[in-house]
Amino acid sequence: MQTINEIQDEIIAEFADIDDWMDRYAYIIDLGNALPPIDESYKTPEHLIEGCQSRVWLNAELLDNGTVEYTADSDAIIVKGIISLLIQVLNHHTPAEILDADLYFIDKIGLAEHLSPTRSNGLVAMLRQMKMYALAFKTRQDARSNAADSQNA
């Protein structure tokens, strides 16, 4: 399995081949269109990300192998592509890996500088929510580990 940095480096290489920002936006839209659909049961106010101009639903589950699986959807095509990029980088990594990740690809591909201020705020909100899920899962894992340690002591 690839590391978060290896995935980011691949994304940077893919975007390096696309010079024009209109073409980059088209690519981001294609990524959003390829995003697997989120279960309709997660399209609830509890799963809406606060701070986004458009509606973005995000769900995360801690899998049996200790990694996080994200699913998401948005009613805005560019935003759906952006969340797709974030999922591509963070999906199926441990909560600790997600929390420790430096998502340098956002600056390297010029994404932040080419988004409107409201979309930039939305990007920050999406990333914050993904990290909050990871923090909650890590806290749960640590609590279970500590409970097991105290039982074995």
Side-chain angles (χ1 to χ4, degrees):
M1 179 162 159
Q2 289 182 297
T3 67
I4 288 174
N5 286 351
E6 288 170 340
I7 297 167
Q8 291 188 92
D9 292 343
E10 279 186 6
I11 291 170
I12 292 166
E14 288 169 13
F15 274 81
D17 293 337
I18 309 169
D19 293 331
D20 182 64
W21 257 97
M22 292 311 291
D23 292 337
R24 286 184 178 200
Y25 282 129
Y27 181 64
I28 291 169
I29 290 168
D30 289 345
L31 291 173
N33 289 334
L35 185 67
I38 191 171
D39 189 292
E40 288 297 315
S41 67
Y42 296 122
K43 285 191 172 182
T44 62
E46 296 82 40
H47 290 91
L48 270 175
I49 297 178
E50 304 234 354
C52 287
Q53 175 184 350
S54 51
R55 294 190 308 168
V56 181
W57 298 272
L58 177 69
N59 184 58
E61 295 182 26
L62 185 63
L63 302 178
D64 290 340
N65 66 2
T67 64
V68 179
E69 181 174 76
Y70 294 101
T71 55
D73 197 5
S74 176
D75 59 1
I77 56 175
I78 293 278
V79 175
K80 189 172 179 177
I82 293 168
I83 193 73
S84 174
L85 274 171
L86 294 175
I87 287 173
Q88 182 179 342
V89 172
L90 298 177
N91 225 19
H92 301 286
H93 287 89
T94 66
E97 290 170 332
I98 294 166
L99 290 170
D100 292 342
D102 169 25
L103 297 186
Y104 57 84
F105 84 96
I106 294 168
D107 288 330
K108 294 271 189 188
I109 65 173
L111 185 59
E113 69 188 70
H114 285 90
L115 293 177
S116 67
T118 53
R119 286 234 169 89
S120 286
N121 290 341
L123 171 64
V124 169
M126 288 184 277
L127 188 52
R128 181 177 56 237
Q129 187 60 44
M130 293 175 92
K131 291 213 173 203
M132 289 300 292
Y133 274 122
L135 179 60
F137 293 141
K138 184 172 185 327
T139 301
R140 188 184 316 159
Q141 286 175 328
D142 291 349
R144 286 184 185 153
S145 177
N146 290 341
D149 288 347
S150 65
Q151 284 180 349
N152 295 331

